[in-house]
Amino acid sequence: MTEAGRPLDAETLRARAAAVRVVGFDVDGVCTDGRLFYGPSGEALHAFHAQDGLGIARARSHLLLVAVTGRKSKNVEARLSELKVPHILQGIFDKAAAFQEVLDANGFGWDQAAFIGDDVNDVPCLQRAALGFTVPNAVLDVFPHAHAVTRKSGGHGALRELLETVLKAQGHWTSDR
Amino acid sequence: MTEAGRPLDAETLRARAAAVRVVGFDVDGVCTDGRLFYGPSGEALHAFHAQDGLGIARARSHLLLVAVTGRKSKNVEARLSELKVPHILQGIFDKAAAFQEVLDANGFGWDQAAFIGDDVNDVPCLQRAALGFTVPNAVLDVFPHAHAVTRKSGGHGALRELLETVLKAQGHWTSDR
Amino acid sequence: MTEAGRPLDAETLRARAAAVRVVGFDVDGVCTDGRLFYGPSGEALHAFHAQDGLGIARARSHLLLVAVTGRKSKNVEARLSELKVPHILQGIFDKAAAFQEVLDANGFGWDQAAFIGDDVNDVPCLQRAALGFTVPNAVLDVFPHAHAVTRKSGGHGALRELLETVLKAQGHWTSDR
Amino acid sequence: MTEAGRPLDAETLRARAAAVRVVGFDVDGVCTDGRLFYGPSGEALHAFHAQDGLGIARARSHLLLVAVTGRKSKNVEARLSELKVPHILQGIFDKAAAFQEVLDANGFGWDQAAFIGDDVNDVPCLQRAALGFTVPNAVLDVFPHAHAVTRKSGGHGALRELLETVLKAQGHWTSDR
């Protein structure tokens, strides 16, 4: 079963998206297709996507963006800091606790949060967020906890879809320039 | 909806292709699949495609080629200058204005222009060009503005298809050598 | 025919998985999609997957993990030693003999072993192991010898599926954190 | 139309394969998926495939292998010389002439040759060879000239399929080790 286990009707999804102030996202498998390019000295490259970049550039003046990832990578730091993502939480074992700290520090609640992830350590965030998205390339056990599955796979514009959904519901998106 | 929103019948498409003198193209998502390979110091690699290279090599003596991209990358400069693309416009916010400058400077109009792009910032060019192509991997909001969608995805020979369409309509293509 | 040639009913598969103590795996085509990235000085990169990494991290306290590959690569050493895989057997011509040495040295038999591979040199291990898995991207001649084919391709989480199957059968897997 | 334009019945294909002494192959799009990874200083990486490597290693004692490519790349030299491909013809404009030189020099004819390619500059070789293969990712104009299309795409084991076809017809292939 690779469909969302907790689908929302279009009206509810739109209402929740309109209330979102914070978007949390996993990195490997969401901003990338999960692949880790290794050379002889270890990790060498991450493959991000241009469509996500455009989405992040448009979203950052309207939404608080929070990357939350279990691994630690300088490649991730390089890409996300270039895109001016304000919170880049790496090496996180308990993602829900780390994400909630950011929510608390900024006076937001889970009902104002969206989250997108592809693996079992993202499930607690998906369960708590007002909008929990996953990707077609997620592990099977994630789908039951998602409100929606992006059309595109991780690393090919999946994060962009979540950002567009939120920004469109808030009237902050234009599609002709 | 991932079909062209403004399809042309075969005869009209061919007639328009026969009149094309300038081909403008986006880079990320068109000449590549949109992926941006990052290392610890930032952007490291772009993945172009050999079939596009052969198409560009054959097109450049018949058509004015213009790359128009919102980002700035030395990788793009390296590949496109090797292929002798005469106009490589990088870091462009308003693509239609930048492309029109090239048209004006060379005495061409939009009715002599084809354009291919994958994201919303390509839409103004797609709306104005005589031939506006997009790719299967485009964001959804681009399809309504396209006359045609390439068979192959960006980075896998999509630009080549547009170039072949134009060169075939003009009798400048051979398929057996 | 890209289906498993020796399918097991769910009960048998689960019973065999419950008895597994050792998981052997090929690298190229299983931990990666088989691609070898070469630069001017030779092999440069291998593309591993984050979902396999999480699976290995959870499996290593319950199972003996053994990588068995015909090639030799420092990239493989870098990734698998980072993941603390205890046996990384590279440059192996006779994989079944090499894997059996590890089994013998640790007091295990083939009835306690699972193996996953994608090419003909993996067939002897697939024939002997209690659980023999292959991947959708295997060469055709491998499928007849497999008990199961992973849903995901090599390099995109295939090894993770085998590890999950075994750990779930043993009650060592949690899907909500 | 992405099917072979000149299909052979199984018996004819096998008879022709049994007579093959020389296998010529294009590189970009056949040994790779056609992608050219560029960094700021130009071409950086080529992505070859492990299954092709195993096929080449087994074929080279039975068949004369000839790589024929229009581009020039040190990456290609690095990979193919490691695999001991005896003829690596790069920067070739007229592939049929270059390949025929090798045939002549070794006392073979086109009726003893197989060739696999993905683009229009491979067509003359496909037309002359006893066995002309192409790949699913070829440009459309190549398919009419091919006797067969590989199941796997270029860069994912396509060359291996041609080599297996030839070696199996000659009794030089084993699938269980």
Side-chain angles (χ1 to χ4, degrees):
Chain A
M1 223 276 278
T2 56
E3 289 165 30
R6 302 188 294 155
L8 302 174
D9 62 85
E11 188 48 44
T12 304
L13 191 146
R14 188 186 165 83
R16 292 194 184 191
V20 165
R21 301 291 301 279
V22 188
V23 174
F25 56 91
D26 179 30
V27 177
D28 295 299
V30 170
C31 299
T32 76
D33 66 359
R35 283 197 281 186
L36 305 167
F37 294 83
Y38 270 65
S41 317
E43 192 180 86
L45 294 175
H46 267 69
F48 296 96
H49 200 273
Q51 293 174 356
D52 288 340
L54 193 152
I56 288 174
R58 291 192 174 190
R60 66 194 175 208
S61 53
H62 303 290
L63 302 168
L64 182 63
L65 301 176
V66 186
V68 193
T69 169
R71 301 178 76 255
K72 283 186 189 178
S73 167
K74 290 181 179 174
N75 308 338
V76 171
E77 180 69 29
R79 171 65 174 163
L80 296 185
S81 64
E82 184 183 290
L83 288 170
K84 301 187 182 71
V85 172
H87 296 278
I88 306 170
L89 313 178
Q90 298 206 63
I92 303 300
F93 181 75
D94 185 337
K95 293 189 178 187
F99 186 53
Q100 185 160 345
E101 269 186 45
V102 176
L103 292 177
D104 291 347
N106 290 274
F108 295 119
W110 284 100
D111 56 322
Q112 295 169 295
F115 198 89
I116 181 168
D118 77 314
D119 211 334
V120 291
N121 53 355
D122 299 306
V123 166
C125 287
L126 296 178
Q127 289 173 325
R128 284 168 179 74
L131 275 186
F133 273 46
T134 194
V135 288
N137 53 301
V139 298
L140 282 181
D141 288 343
V142 168
F143 294 94
H145 305 285
H147 295 118
V149 183
T150 58
R151 193 174 66 92
K152 291 193 173 166
S153 287
H156 291 275
L159 175 58
R160 162 70 169 270
E161 291 183 29
L162 171 56
L163 296 173
E164 264 196 49
T165 298
V166 171
L167 292 173
K168 282 179 174 174
Q170 303 183 356
H172 294 312
W173 189 263
T174 53
S175 291
D176 57 356
R177 63 176 168 80
Chain B
M1 224 276 278
T2 56
E3 289 166 29
R6 302 188 295 155
L8 302 174
D9 62 85
E11 188 49 43
T12 304
L13 191 146
R14 189 186 164 83
R16 292 194 184 192
V20 165
R21 301 290 302 277
V22 187
V23 174
F25 56 91
D26 179 30
V27 176
D28 295 299
V30 170
C31 298
T32 75
D33 66 359
R35 284 198 280 188
L36 305 167
F37 294 83
Y38 270 65
S41 317
E43 192 179 86
L45 294 176
H46 266 69
F48 296 95
H49 200 274
Q51 292 174 356
D52 288 340
L54 193 151
I56 289 174
R58 291 191 174 190
R60 66 194 174 209
S61 52
H62 303 290
L63 302 168
L64 182 64
L65 301 177
V66 186
V68 193
T69 168
R71 301 178 76 256
K72 283 186 189 179
S73 166
K74 290 181 179 173
N75 308 338
V76 171
E77 181 69 27
R79 171 65 174 162
L80 296 185
S81 64
E82 184 182 290
L83 288 170
K84 302 188 181 68
V85 172
H87 297 277
I88 306 170
L89 312 178
Q90 298 206 63
I92 303 300
F93 181 75
D94 185 337
K95 292 188 178 188
F99 186 53
Q100 186 161 346
E101 269 185 45
V102 176
L103 290 178
D104 291 348
N106 290 274
F108 295 120
W110 285 100
D111 56 322
Q112 295 169 295
F115 197 89
I116 181 168
D118 78 314
D119 210 335
V120 292
N121 53 354
D122 298 307
V123 166
C125 288
L126 296 178
Q127 289 173 326
R128 284 167 180 75
L131 275 186
F133 273 45
T134 194
V135 288
N137 53 301
V139 298
L140 282 181
D141 288 342
V142 168
F143 294 94
H145 304 286
H147 295 118
V149 183
T150 57
R151 193 173 66 92
K152 291 193 173 167
S153 288
H156 291 275
L159 174 57
R160 162 70 170 269
E161 290 183 30
L162 171 55
L163 296 173
E164 264 196 49
T165 298
V166 171
L167 292 173
K168 282 178 174 174
Q170 304 183 354
H172 293 313
W173 188 263
T174 52
S175 292
D176 57 355
R177 60 175 169 80
Chain C
M1 223 274 278
T2 56
E3 289 165 32
R6 302 188 295 155
L8 302 173
D9 62 86
E11 188 49 43
T12 304
L13 191 146
R14 188 187 166 83
R16 292 195 184 192
V20 165
R21 301 290 301 279
V22 188
V23 173
F25 55 91
D26 179 30
V27 177
D28 296 298
V30 170
C31 298
T32 76
D33 65 0
R35 283 198 281 188
L36 305 168
F37 294 84
Y38 270 65
S41 318
E43 191 179 86
L45 294 176
H46 266 69
F48 296 96
H49 200 273
Q51 292 174 357
D52 288 339
L54 193 152
I56 288 174
R58 291 191 174 190
R60 65 195 176 209
S61 53
H62 302 291
L63 302 167
L64 182 64
L65 301 177
V66 186
V68 193
T69 169
R71 301 179 76 257
K72 283 186 189 179
S73 166
K74 289 180 180 174
N75 308 338
V76 171
E77 181 68 29
R79 171 63 173 163
L80 296 185
S81 63
E82 184 183 291
L83 288 170
K84 301 189 182 68
V85 172
H87 297 277
I88 306 171
L89 312 178
Q90 298 206 62
I92 303 301
F93 181 76
D94 185 337
K95 292 189 178 187
F99 186 53
Q100 185 160 347
E101 268 186 47
V102 176
L103 292 177
D104 291 347
N106 290 275
F108 295 120
W110 285 99
D111 56 321
Q112 295 169 296
F115 198 89
I116 180 169
D118 78 314
D119 211 334
V120 291
N121 53 355
D122 298 307
V123 167
C125 286
L126 297 178
Q127 288 174 326
R128 284 168 179 75
L131 275 187
F133 273 46
T134 194
V135 288
N137 53 301
V139 298
L140 283 181
D141 288 343
V142 168
F143 294 93
H145 305 285
H147 295 117
V149 182
T150 58
R151 193 174 66 92
K152 292 194 172 164
S153 287
H156 291 273
L159 175 57
R160 163 70 170 270
E161 291 183 31
L162 171 55
L163 296 173
E164 264 196 50
T165 298
V166 170
L167 293 173
K168 282 178 174 173
Q170 303 183 354
H172 293 313
W173 189 263
T174 54
S175 291
D176 58 355
R177 63 176 167 78
Chain D
M1 223 274 280
T2 56
E3 288 166 32
R6 302 187 296 156
L8 302 174
D9 61 86
E11 188 49 42
T12 303
L13 191 147
R14 187 186 166 84
R16 293 195 184 192
V20 165
R21 301 290 302 278
V22 188
V23 174
F25 54 91
D26 179 31
V27 176
D28 296 299
V30 171
C31 298
T32 76
D33 66 359
R35 284 198 280 188
L36 305 167
F37 294 84
Y38 270 65
S41 318
E43 192 180 86
L45 294 176
H46 266 70
F48 296 95
H49 199 273
Q51 292 174 357
D52 288 340
L54 193 151
I56 289 174
R58 291 191 174 190
R60 66 194 174 209
S61 52
H62 302 290
L63 302 168
L64 182 63
L65 301 176
V66 186
V68 193
T69 169
R71 301 179 75 256
K72 282 185 189 181
S73 167
K74 289 180 180 175
N75 308 338
V76 171
E77 181 69 29
R79 172 64 174 163
L80 296 185
S81 63
E82 184 183 291
L83 288 169
K84 302 189 182 69
V85 171
H87 297 277
I88 306 171
L89 312 178
Q90 298 206 62
I92 304 300
F93 181 75
D94 185 337
K95 293 189 178 187
F99 186 53
Q100 185 161 346
E101 268 186 46
V102 176
L103 292 177
D104 291 348
N106 289 274
F108 295 120
W110 284 100
D111 56 322
Q112 295 169 295
F115 198 89
I116 181 168
D118 78 315
D119 210 334
V120 291
N121 52 356
D122 298 308
V123 166
C125 287
L126 297 178
Q127 289 173 325
R128 284 167 179 75
L131 275 187
F133 273 46
T134 194
V135 288
N137 53 300
V139 299
L140 283 181
D141 288 342
V142 168
F143 294 94
H145 305 285
H147 295 118
V149 183
T150 57
R151 193 174 66 91
K152 291 194 173 165
S153 287
H156 291 275
L159 175 57
R160 163 69 171 271
E161 290 183 30
L162 171 55
L163 296 173
E164 264 196 49
T165 298
V166 171
L167 293 173
K168 282 179 173 172
Q170 304 183 353
H172 293 313
W173 189 263
T174 53
S175 292
D176 58 355
R177 61 175 169 80

